Amino acid sequence: MAERKTTRRRKPAPKPCPDCRAGQTSESFRVGGRRKHISNDRQEALCLTCLGTGHAPD
């Protein structure tokens, strides 16, 4: 008699992070010596909610 094939259950896909959806966020930064002004440019920063994974914390 032939053996039965077992089906494997897939793990559910992890939910995306509600803050960043990708693991990184962009934020403005300050430039200048004494009178720091906010630059129009943006820089990438690590998302502190998911720590760069892009998945929602449990």
Side-chain angles (χ1 to χ4, degrees):
M1 201 169 173
E3 293 183 28
R4 286 187 173 183
K5 292 184 179 179
T6 59
T7 58
R8 295 185 185 188
R9 294 182 188 223
R10 293 185 184 177
K11 292 182 181 177
K15 295 178 183 176
C17 177
D19 293 338
C20 65
R21 307 237 184 251
Q24 291 185 341
T25 59
S26 61
E27 56 186 30
S28 60
F29 57 95
R30 296 179 178 258
V31 294
R34 201 173 265 226
R35 288 184 43 215
K36 296 193 183 272
H37 64 277
I38 296 176
S39 173
N40 292 335
D41 297 327
R42 309 285 282 175
Q43 69 181 6
E44 293 292 318
L46 185 69
C47 176
L48 297 178
T49 304
C50 65
L51 298 174
T53 60
H55 306 305
D58 293 328

